[in-house]
Amino acid sequence: MTPLRLGILGYGFATQTFHAPVVAGIPGLELVAISSRDPAKVHADWPAVQVHATPQELIARPDLDLVVVPTPNDSHYPLARDALRAGKHVVVDKPFTVTLAEGQALVRLAREQQRVLSVFHNRRWDGDFLTLQALLRSGELGRIVHLDSHFDRFRPQVRQRWREVAGPGTGLWYDLGPHLLDQALRLFGWPLGLTLDSASMRDGAVTDDWFHALLRYDGLRVTLHVSALSAGSDLRFALYGTRGSWLKHGLDAQEDQLKAGGRPSWPPQGDWGRDAGRSTLTRADGDTLATLDWPLQPGGYGAYYAGVRDAILGRGPNPVPAEEALEVMALIELGRESARARREMTPPERGTLAT
């Protein structure tokens, strides 16, 4: 099979840590170009990759099949638009865009161009999330009444980077909110209501670094919580049902593996994606509770890019269609309205988003 030729825009944290190492291990994908103002930095990691000074130079290459856009959030829309107009298939990092309207415009353009447009919601392939999905399918915990989903870290210093300055698409609601919202939508579907409380808690913070969201469902509540000032607390998931509970501590292992220089193959081999975090299931046995260690499935971010490859070749579905990312963007905007108004908001009709 002739590999699909792929270019990535920018060589910041997302490219260096996630996209480049993951795509390099996917059979049928060939990383041939990266845009960067620092060629030496790129070539230190990828000596055979051609470096272009600007995103526009890379997009203009006629030999590229797929362009990946893991740039600052406010540039997602114009760069993805330009790549689609150039006839490329496109992957956009989360959040899809800064506004719902921008995302809808990209969906329309992708349809007109008959190109695959996908969004990198890689946390669907976290091992603990895959374990959570399997638990729900099994019915092990009975009727589920509450999911508590956390993504907390201890980062007390405000850093000089685009994610932490004031501006469109910055702050943790735009950074980590899309991950948690996307996971909730995959698990439970469209909520009846959304309430968001967000704040800037760290000294010198100019955008939100803490949020707590409540998604209301019929007979179910889902809470999404993120804090940059959470030392010593590592709860990731707490799932509560009528027959018991499941608790997972610690984040999925893949980000740390990638930060350490790991370059996974696909399918993954050895210990890739295997999570050492604590996972326990507590079940009711009559009037007593029994707690046991619960095995975690291995994660595999390569599944996303293998799915993108197959979608472009007509061999499988888009792993994260842009239409699903529109749902996340609608809830991101709704959450901002809720935080301003300090009350629950009712989501729009789900079927009206991809217009």
Side-chain angles (χ1 to χ4, degrees):
M1 179 179 64
T2 302
L4 297 170
R5 294 169 64 82
L6 177 148
I8 306 179
L9 304 183
Y11 201 62
F13 174 79
T15 297
Q16 192 170 15
T17 305
F18 289 97
H19 295 276
V22 173
V23 301
I26 307 298
L29 290 181
E30 181 182 3
L31 176 58
V32 299
I34 292 174
S35 68
S36 174
R37 290 173 291 184
D38 189 350
K41 179 182 177 183
V42 177
H43 285 146
D45 297 330
W46 307 98
V49 168
Q50 185 172 353
V51 179
H52 294 273
T54 67
Q56 289 72 28
E57 286 183 12
L58 186 148
I59 289 170
R61 284 182 61 146
D63 62 333
L64 293 182
D65 302 292
L66 173 62
V67 169
V68 181
V69 186
T71 53
N73 295 345
D74 60 358
S75 67
H76 286 184
Y77 169 71
L79 292 176
R81 177 199 61 202
D82 292 349
L84 287 168
R85 286 176 175 171
K88 308 297 192 288
H89 303 284
V90 176
V91 164
V92 184
D93 209 327
K94 61 79 207 165
F96 181 22
T97 48
V98 171
T99 68
L100 176 60
E102 288 178 344
Q104 290 170 327
L106 290 180
V107 167
R108 290 192 295 268
L109 180 58
R111 289 174 182 165
E112 293 169 4
Q113 297 290 100
Q114 297 183 327
R115 300 289 92 181
V116 170
L117 175 60
S118 190
V119 180
F120 189 62
H121 280 297
N122 60 305
R123 296 289 173 178
R124 295 188 187 188
W125 290 275
D126 280 358
D128 47 19
F129 181 67
L130 296 174
T131 303
L132 172 52
Q133 286 182 306
L135 261 176
L136 289 175
R137 290 193 297 267
S138 74
E140 188 79 37
L141 298 179
R143 181 174 59 84
I144 301 302
V145 299
H146 179 204
L147 173 67
D148 191 14
S149 176
H150 284 244
F151 207 115
D152 298 323
R153 292 166 170 165
F154 186 65
R155 294 179 175 174
Q157 302 301 320
V158 176
R159 292 183 283 177
Q160 293 302 310
R161 57 178 192 160
W162 64 262
R163 288 180 175 86
E164 300 188 51
V165 302
T170 64
L172 288 183
W173 180 237
Y174 270 92
D175 185 26
L176 297 177
H179 283 316
L180 303 190
L181 287 168
D182 181 69
Q183 289 180 335
L185 290 173
R186 303 285 68 76
L187 295 172
F188 303 114
W190 201 235
L192 300 173
L194 167 62
T195 307
L196 175 70
D197 184 15
S198 64
S200 302
M201 296 292 196
R202 294 176 297 172
D203 294 337
V206 294
T207 189
D208 62 282
D209 55 16
W210 179 97
F211 71 76
H212 187 87
L214 172 64
L215 303 180
R216 180 172 59 86
Y217 295 85
D218 186 14
L220 167 71
R221 298 296 184 267
V222 175
T223 50
L224 313 176
H225 186 86
V226 168
S227 172
L229 286 175
S230 183
S233 176
D234 66 348
L235 179 67
R236 177 64 181 93
F237 288 116
L239 182 67
Y240 303 98
T242 56
R243 296 179 188 167
S245 303
W246 173 69
L247 273 66
K248 164 60 174 34
H249 293 264
L251 297 176
D252 177 83
Q254 292 174 91
E255 181 172 344
D256 283 343
Q257 289 178 309
L258 289 163
K259 285 179 177 177
R263 294 188 180 182
S265 60
W266 184 256
Q269 299 177 0
D271 291 333
W272 187 265
R274 297 200 175 273
D275 193 335
R278 186 158 57 96
S279 167
T280 57
L281 189 78
T282 301
R283 286 184 295 210
D285 183 10
D287 292 332
T288 64
L289 295 176
T291 299
L292 65 155
D293 292 335
W294 194 254
L296 290 165
Q297 295 188 24
Y301 293 157
Y304 172 78
Y305 270 109
V308 170
R309 173 202 63 197
D310 291 347
I312 292 172
L313 296 174
R315 303 191 314 204
N318 187 338
V320 184
E323 289 82 357
E324 292 178 358
L326 289 182
E327 298 171 356
V328 174
M329 292 313 307
L331 295 184
I332 288 288
E333 289 194 345
L334 194 71
R336 295 183 67 201
E337 293 178 23
S338 170
R340 284 193 293 265
R342 298 186 181 181
R343 63 180 178 87
E344 180 182 274
M345 295 292 181
T346 301
E349 290 293 328
R350 193 176 194 178
T352 64
L353 298 178
T355 56

